[in-house]
Amino acid sequence: MGAEDIQASVVISVAMLVISLVLGTAMAIGWACFGRPRHALSWSIAYFLYGIEILAVAVGTARPSLYPILEMVEFACILAAASLVAIGARQRAKLDSRARGIGIAFATVFIVYEALRHSVHPWWLSATDGLFTSVMLGIAIAAIRPRDREPEAAEWATMTTLAVFVLFELLLVFLDMKGRLHPEDHRLASFFMDFYLAGLTPVFVANGVAANLLIASDLAAKLRTLAASDGLTGVFNRRGFHEAAVRAVSNGRRHRQPIAIALVDIDHFKSINDRFGHTAGDRTLRFIARSLSRALRKGDLVGRIGGEEFALLLVNSSAEEAVEVMDRVRAGIAAGFLNEDMPVPVTASFGVTSVELGGGAAEDMLAQALDQADRALYRSKIEGRNRTTLALLTEA
């Protein structure tokens, strides 16, 4: 390594150390302030470990007598940091973190590496950290990609930067192995060092920035969910249901799929509060929400739009089909539930209609359907409650 390469290496090492500390601190702050998500802590520790690895390299270069020990520290930090990136990605996806399996892989690779380093030291040994890191980053990419929806922009960015990191590591391994197989070709060693010095910082920074953006994006999504959810029952609140329903109506019109709307009102809810207390009233609301949610398919919606009133949107469903579904739910609700071992009798009335998918605005079509369903619900009430009524055409 020439003097210019050494100088460039020192500058980049200092910059990388500072960047590692900044990114690790940013993720630690995100973990502490935003609900302590486990993956943010795992990634924060990973970046601090990268910083320790960079510091070990710098000290080992300055103090050659310490290099044998610091090389072991450096290798352990690289493996541990890559492992934590994979574990954190699986934690974020709410998958089994596989921490034990990844830990066993880390320990096995580390022990084998140290044993070979102090004995035969095969020519391919230097590829170990790059290959291990590539595998761990591949696990992270697979975990970050959602299984039930299209990735968000921040997820795409993180997967892309991780993929670039994998490619960078594999190219380093290839160049290193080629240089070791042809030690007489000094151009290979020079190109390897140039590629390493030129690529490490942007790749490293891009991954750190993308990971921090992903944490921020997750927080924003959580806040949007909280803003659109009813705190007591966990289903959509009025605003959340309305926004999601407008999108569903637009989508249904675009794909020419029928959509049904149902309104639900708990019968004599005030008497439940008066007889059993407000705690039982809250449990009744949660019971109704669970009963309605269990009837939903993928794409269907349910929300609490008033004190004891709920709304449902059923995609790709006619009003007649929705009546059958709601009547089964109504019968299940009528079985009641236990409140502190005391049975609480509860019934609900339903009004059902279909959305007329015409040429107007989706919001207007939804409003018209909700009005029809409300009229049908009113008829269920005046005709005795605990029944499901299909809106008449004259109620349009």
Side-chain angles (χ1 to χ4, degrees):
M1 184 185 292
E4 292 182 358
D5 286 340
I6 293 175
Q7 185 178 7
S9 179
V10 170
V11 172
I12 290 176
S13 295
V14 172
M16 292 291 292
L17 178 59
V18 173
I19 291 168
S20 297
L21 295 176
V22 170
L23 293 174
T25 302
M27 290 184 183
I29 292 172
W31 169 78
C33 298
F34 302 144
R36 301 196 172 188
R38 292 186 301 163
H39 65 280
L41 180 61
S42 296
W43 291 345
S44 173
I45 296 173
Y47 274 93
F48 285 130
L49 287 173
Y50 278 126
I52 295 173
E53 180 262 333
I54 294 166
L55 188 61
V57 172
V59 174
T61 302
R63 300 287 297 275
S65 61
L66 298 176
Y67 185 76
I69 296 176
L70 291 174
E71 185 181 8
M72 181 174 64
V73 173
E74 172 195 348
F75 187 71
C77 287
I78 292 174
L79 299 189
S83 300
L84 284 170
V85 171
I87 290 171
R90 292 187 64 84
Q91 289 172 333
R92 175 186 175 273
K94 295 181 173 55
L95 301 171
D96 179 2
S97 68
R98 303 284 173 87
R100 178 176 297 180
I102 292 174
I104 291 173
F106 160 79
T108 302
V109 171
F110 180 78
I111 292 170
V112 171
Y113 178 87
E114 287 300 309
L116 293 176
R117 184 168 71 91
H118 293 288
S119 57
V120 295
H121 204 295
W123 62 271
W124 48 262
L125 193 61
S126 61
T128 306
D129 55 350
L131 293 176
F132 184 87
T133 297
S134 298
V135 171
M136 291 298 109
L137 297 185
I139 293 173
I141 293 170
I144 289 172
R145 181 174 179 84
R147 284 149 179 75
D148 56 350
R149 57 176 174 81
E150 283 298 309
E152 301 287 344
E155 291 167 332
W156 275 121
T158 305
M159 291 189 294
T160 301
T161 54
L162 285 172
V164 171
F165 205 155
V166 171
L167 182 61
F168 179 70
E169 287 285 353
L170 294 177
L171 284 173
L172 287 176
V173 168
F174 172 77
L175 293 171
D176 183 47
M177 293 300 96
K178 193 170 182 180
R180 291 178 184 277
L181 290 172
H182 302 281
E184 73 284 354
D185 191 346
H186 299 293
R187 292 176 303 172
L188 289 173
S190 177
F191 181 74
F192 171 85
M193 184 55 60
D194 290 343
F195 181 74
Y196 173 77
L197 294 176
L200 180 61
T201 302
V203 169
F204 191 78
V205 171
N207 274 270
V209 171
N212 275 284
L213 287 176
L214 183 59
I215 293 172
S217 176
D218 289 342
L219 173 64
K222 184 177 180 180
L223 292 175
R224 287 195 300 270
T225 299
L226 289 174
S229 299
D230 176 57
L232 178 62
T233 62
V235 300
F236 279 123
N237 58 22
R238 187 181 190 92
R239 175 185 173 184
F241 178 83
H242 181 268
E243 292 176 351
V246 169
R247 291 193 297 269
V249 170
S250 296
N251 188 62
R253 179 172 58 183
R254 185 164 56 252
H255 296 285
R256 298 182 179 179
Q257 294 177 338
I259 293 177
I261 293 287
L263 290 183
V264 187
D265 191 79
I266 303 173
D267 297 329
H268 303 297
F269 181 68
K270 184 177 183 301
S271 68
I272 295 175
N273 280 326
D274 292 341
R275 290 174 58 193
F276 300 98
H278 288 283
T279 299
D282 290 345
R283 289 176 178 169
T284 300
L285 291 168
R286 287 193 287 266
F287 167 68
I288 296 293
R290 287 195 304 271
S291 300
L292 297 174
S293 297
R294 281 195 292 263
L296 301 184
R297 304 156 302 166
K298 184 178 180 180
D300 293 343
L301 308 173
V302 60
R304 182 184 174 203
I305 61 172
E308 64 267 23
E309 189 173 9
F310 293 80
L312 297 97
L313 182 146
L314 282 69
V315 298
N316 202 19
S317 177
S318 67
E320 291 75 15
E321 291 169 335
V323 166
E324 294 180 7
V325 173
M326 293 301 100
D327 218 38
R328 289 196 297 270
V329 174
R330 181 195 58 77
I333 290 172
F337 69 100
L338 293 178
N339 177 56
E340 298 178 352
D341 296 327
M342 181 180 297
V344 177
V346 56
T347 62
S349 300
F350 292 72
V352 179
T353 190
S354 59
V355 179
E356 296 295 329
L357 300 175
E363 191 163 358
D364 294 337
M365 289 186 284
L366 176 64
Q368 182 182 22
L370 288 171
D371 184 61
Q372 293 175 21
D374 189 56
R375 292 171 184 269
L377 173 62
Y378 178 73
R379 286 203 292 117
S380 289
K381 290 289 189 181
I382 64 174
E383 291 176 7
R385 295 183 169 84
N386 189 25
R387 63 184 63 228
T388 304
T389 301
L390 176 63
L392 301 175
L393 291 178
T394 56
E395 292 175 332

